[in-house]
Amino acid sequence: MSENPGRSPDPAGGPRRRQKPAPSDGRRLPARRSRPERPGTGRIRRFRARLLAWYDAHRRDLPWRRRPDDAWAQLVAEFMLQQTQVATVTAYYERFLRRFPTVESLARAPQEAVLALWSGLGYYRRARMLHEAARRIVREHGGEVPSTVDELARLPGIGRYTAGAIASIVFGRREPVLDGNVRRVLIRWQATDGDPDAPDLRKRLWDLAEALVPRRRPGDFNQSLMELGATVCTPRAPGCGVCPLRRSCAARRLGLTEILPRAKRRRTPEALNIVALAVERDGRLLFVRRPARGLWGGLWDLPTEAVACGERPTQALRRLVRRLAGGRRAVGRPVGRITRLLTHRKVTFRLYRLTGTPAARGIPAGRRAGDTGYRWLKPDESGRVGVSRAVQSLIAMLDRHRSRRRFRRPEADRPGRRSRDQLQGAAAEEAGEESGCGTVSLTGTSTDG
DNA sequence: CATCCGTGGCG
DNA sequence: TCGCCAAGGAT
């Protein structure tokens, strides 16, 4: 055991060597050799044992852990959990599985129903890919979720992480996983400097994860790593005092837990201004379908128009109304505005209500290029189709606006009683506020130039 | 390889 | 308020 020729990467640099301090000035630590791990070295055995013992004592009771043998349930969970936190997913998970308890049930379902249950969860392409994966599992695998990483990774929406997770958690295969949590844990454990997204570091981390995962209980081990990252080895203020790996953690020894992993630099989100129009007729609201690709792809949307750089929102509104009403004269009354922060965009919606009932009669006179349809929905029906959180907010704002107008007494109609949204929307409208520059054209929201 | 894709929580 | 991050994958 003193010699381990095939063993690597030793997180501490070697069986007997001490960990070299990680430079905090941005230099990288010397690259370590990464080769497949042979099981059984003392350090790695301790790592596994401590982590698994901790997991057995502290694992959270999560919905998908209650049916460990249900490959379909696990697959759904893994799709939902991609780039999404556990707390967010749990609200959607049970409802989705109740509606689609089997691969076949999802494979048969119309895309509309899938997106409706995904509404608000984000990254909607995942829903379409899960849908397609279910169909292919039925068609090509007899309805059984495949058990090897190679087969899994050929399915849409399944990459190396998800394939490893399913193979290990459901089928007990010795396959590693590397997600954001595992990456952070391992980077801290070995006090690795460098860009976590750099390919060479990624490869080394995959190699390390591969070396660490045991033959026995690989799924539990992988989950324990992720669980540790999610609950103890958190990005900020990690709970090192209760960490099962604290005795062997290089970052802790070197006082680098607050520094590692090195933060990614992100661009500041780009400002994007959108006018949206509420077109009401017979108690229904007009929705248009967004193009399948791009932002909020395939979801239903209110009619929108991008505000060009330097343009007043009202100009875009006029353009939108003209396009919808086929040149008819109609006006939009400002309802309010909302702002959504996306990963790399800050989208401001200004909502208007179309006034003038005759105008709504001829709508939609034409459709935008890329739109695949439109429909009129009653308020209680909007939950049945896929809509983004932004649209949910717009609808809620419209509802508040309506009830205010219906119930308020005239003397209550003073600025102090109006919501901030409406006030801002109205103020912006009156001021003829211009859109900020630097906006890009939103896919599917072309200015139909 | 870089960029794109949503949303919510946290300090 | 604001930046960062999350059980990533596709292009």
Side-chain angles (χ1 to χ4, degrees), chain A residues 172-193:
Chain A
R173 294 182 183 270
R174 183 179 176 276
E175 299 286 354
V177 298
L178 186 70
D179 70 337
N181 287 316
V182 177
R183 223 186 310 173
R184 184 172 54 254
V185 170
L186 296 185
I187 281 175
R188 282 181 176 155
W189 188 59
Q190 14 163 61
T192 308
D193 197 6

Side-chain angles (χ1 to χ4, degrees), chain A residues 335 351 390-403:
Chain A
V335 173
L351 178 64
V391 169
Q392 291 176 18
S393 300
L394 288 173
I395 294 172
M397 187 167 68
L398 180 64
D399 288 343
R400 289 196 303 272
H401 186 258
R402 271 201 288 249
S403 54

Side-chain angles (χ1 to χ4, degrees), chain A residues 405-422:
Chain A
R405 295 187 63 79
R406 188 174 317 135
F407 295 121
R408 78 166 179 228
R409 285 165 299 161
E411 58 270 27
D413 184 18
R414 46 181 214 274
R417 303 273 313 188
R418 293 150 94 186
S419 80
R420 203 162 131 257
D421 279 345
Q422 188 193 6

Side-chain angles (χ1 to χ4, degrees), chain A residues 75 141 145-178 206 210 213 218 222:
Chain A
L75 193 64
H141 299 276
V145 176
S147 65
T148 67
V149 288
D150 288 340
E151 289 174 300
L152 285 163
R154 275 187 223 118
L155 294 169
I158 297 186
R160 191 172 177 186
Y161 161 78
T162 305
I166 298 295
S168 64
I169 295 171
V170 179
F171 299 105
R173 294 182 183 270
R174 183 179 176 276
E175 299 286 354
V177 298
L178 186 70
W206 271 107
E210 153 76 23
V213 61
N222 284 336

Side-chain angles (χ1 to χ4, degrees), chain A residues 71-341:
Chain A
W72 171 242
Q74 289 297 321
L75 193 64
V76 170
E78 290 300 340
F79 267 78
M80 286 191 171
L81 286 163
Q82 288 169 5
Q83 289 288 283
T84 308
Q85 301 192 16
V86 164
T88 306
V89 167
T90 50
Y92 289 80
Y93 180 73
E94 296 283 6
R95 187 181 59 154
F96 193 93
L97 266 192
R98 267 200 305 278
R99 175 74 171 75
F100 304 116
T102 62
V103 184
E104 289 79 8
S105 62
L106 185 69
R108 280 196 305 267
Q111 188 188 79
E112 195 67 74
V114 184
L115 286 174
L117 285 195
W118 209 275
S119 285
L121 194 50
Y123 284 128
Y124 298 93
R125 184 159 39 155
R126 289 182 298 175
R128 295 199 300 277
M129 289 191 295
L130 176 60
H131 195 197
E132 178 58 24
R135 290 176 166 168
R136 286 185 40 188
I137 289 170
V138 167
R139 193 181 337 128
E140 301 169 13
H141 299 276
E144 300 290 329
V145 176
S147 65
T148 67
V149 288
D150 288 340
E151 289 174 300
L152 285 163
R154 275 187 223 118
L155 294 169
I158 297 186
R160 191 172 177 186
Y161 161 78
T162 305
I166 298 295
S168 64
I169 295 171
V170 179
F171 299 105
R173 294 182 183 270
R174 183 179 176 276
E175 299 286 354
V177 298
L178 186 70
D179 70 337
N181 287 316
V182 177
R183 223 186 310 173
R184 184 172 54 254
V185 170
L186 296 185
I187 281 175
R188 282 181 176 155
W189 188 59
Q190 14 163 61
T192 308
D193 197 6
D195 180 359
D197 289 329
D200 59 333
L201 178 50
R202 278 209 152 166
K203 177 177 177 0
R204 280 159 51 207
L205 291 171
W206 271 107
D207 289 344
L208 177 56
E210 153 76 23
L212 290 170
V213 61
R215 247 176 264 287
R216 295 164 61 112
R217 305 183 64 191
D220 281 349
F221 176 82
N222 284 336
Q223 291 189 85
S224 74
L225 265 178
M226 295 189 275
E227 189 96 336
L228 187 73
T231 63
V232 174
C233 195
T234 47
R236 283 172 306 262
C240 298
V242 298
C243 179
L245 303 177
R246 62 185 178 279
R247 304 200 184 290
S248 57
C249 178
R252 174 163 162 80
R253 187 165 61 244
L254 299 167
L256 297 175
T257 50
E258 299 288 346
I259 300 172
L260 298 177
R262 203 179 81 178
K264 313 175 224 192
R265 51 187 69 144
R266 296 185 187 221
R267 291 184 316 184
T268 59
E270 218 163 355
L272 183 59
N273 289 282
I274 305 279
V275 293
L277 190 62
V279 183
E280 295 145 292
R281 193 176 69 186
D282 304 330
R284 295 167 193 260
L285 193 58
L286 176 66
F287 287 80
V288 298
R289 191 169 164 88
R290 298 183 60 86
R293 296 171 177 273
L295 188 61
W296 295 311
L299 300 189
W300 291 89
D301 200 3
L302 299 186
T304 60
E305 180 78 15
V307 183
C309 178
E311 186 183 38
R312 287 198 309 265
T314 47
Q315 288 179 273
L317 175 65
R318 260 193 296 278
R319 200 163 55 243
L320 174 58
V321 170
R322 191 159 49 239
R323 184 155 53 74
L324 281 172
R328 226 172 300 230
R329 284 198 56 197
V331 205
R333 177 191 302 276
V335 173
R337 75 157 97 163
I338 65 164
T339 298
R340 305 291 306 173
L341 261 65

